[in-house]
């Protein structure tokens, strides 16, 4: 655009430069939805894996689901202890709020219909959105 202005002899004293849109008017904004999802399982010794619920394992399944819908995963206290808790920090940058609603609803259904039933009764998930 600068070359075009120079070519026609215009030298503005001020210019507002926005995101590249191909000089098209855009009537939406790429929003950002940030969440933290906590996973609670049941700690136990690695020699008795059937007595514990590995929160990191279920957090990994959740992250896999996030990747299917198209950032950090932590959990556990030691290598020989089944992690009892895990946390996933994630965000969505979407143009339309309906897209966020779709992702949230899909993950809600996935967690309650597939992920949680695959865990033991002590396991749960909780997703929060910062205010």
């Amino acid at each position: 655009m600068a070359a075009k202005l120079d070519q026609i002899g215009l030298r503005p004293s001020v210019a507002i430069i926005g995101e590249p849109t191909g000089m098209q008017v855009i009537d939406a904004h790429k929003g950002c939805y940030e969440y933290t999802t906590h996973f609670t399982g049941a700690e136990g010794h690695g020699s008795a894996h059937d007595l514990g619920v590995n929160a990191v394992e279920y957090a990994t399944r959740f992250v896999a689901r996030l990747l299917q819908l198209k950032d950090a995963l932590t959990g556990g206290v030691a290598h020989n202890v089944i992690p009892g808790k895990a946390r996933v920090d994630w965000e969505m940058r979407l143009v339309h709020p309906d897209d966020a609603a779709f992702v949230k609803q899909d993950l809600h259904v996935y967690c309650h219909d597939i992920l949680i039933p695959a865990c033991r009764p002590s396991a749960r998930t909780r997703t929060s959105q910062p205010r």
Side-chain angles (χ1 to χ4, degrees):
M1 182 195 299
K4 181 71 170 171
L5 291 174
D6 194 42
Q7 185 181 35
I8 59 175
L10 287 177
R11 297 193 75 53
S13 59
V14 176
I16 298 173
I17 311 295
E19 291 190 26
T21 63
M23 299 305 291
Q24 300 298 311
V25 175
I26 304 296
D27 65 353
H29 181 269
K30 192 179 271 190
C32 180
Y33 300 83
E34 295 178 355
Y35 302 92
T36 298
T37 303
H38 299 265
F39 296 82
T40 302
E43 291 180 352
H45 194 273
S47 66
H49 68 278
D50 57 323
L51 300 178
V53 176
N54 187 332
V56 172
E57 176 186 343
Y58 289 96
T60 301
R61 292 183 189 190
F62 181 83
V63 169
R65 183 60 176 184
L66 282 174
L67 293 174
Q68 286 175 349
L69 292 173
K70 37 149 190 200
D71 262 277
L73 182 61
T74 61
V77 295
H79 292 291
N80 66 338
V81 176
I82 298 167
K85 294 185 185 272
R87 187 182 89 197
V88 177
D89 294 321
W90 57 286
E91 70 178 30
M92 296 183 285
R93 293 188 178 262
L94 306 168
V95 174
H96 297 289
D98 291 345
D99 294 338
F102 168 78
V103 171
K104 290 190 304 186
Q105 178 62 26
D106 185 275
L107 288 173
H108 176 80
V109 170
Y110 177 75
C111 285
H112 287 87
D113 293 354
I114 297 171
L115 196 62
I116 292 173
C119 297
R120 302 220 189 315
S122 63
R124 64 184 186 275
T125 63
R126 175 178 52 87
T127 298
S128 59
Q129 185 173 8
R131 294 176 189 224

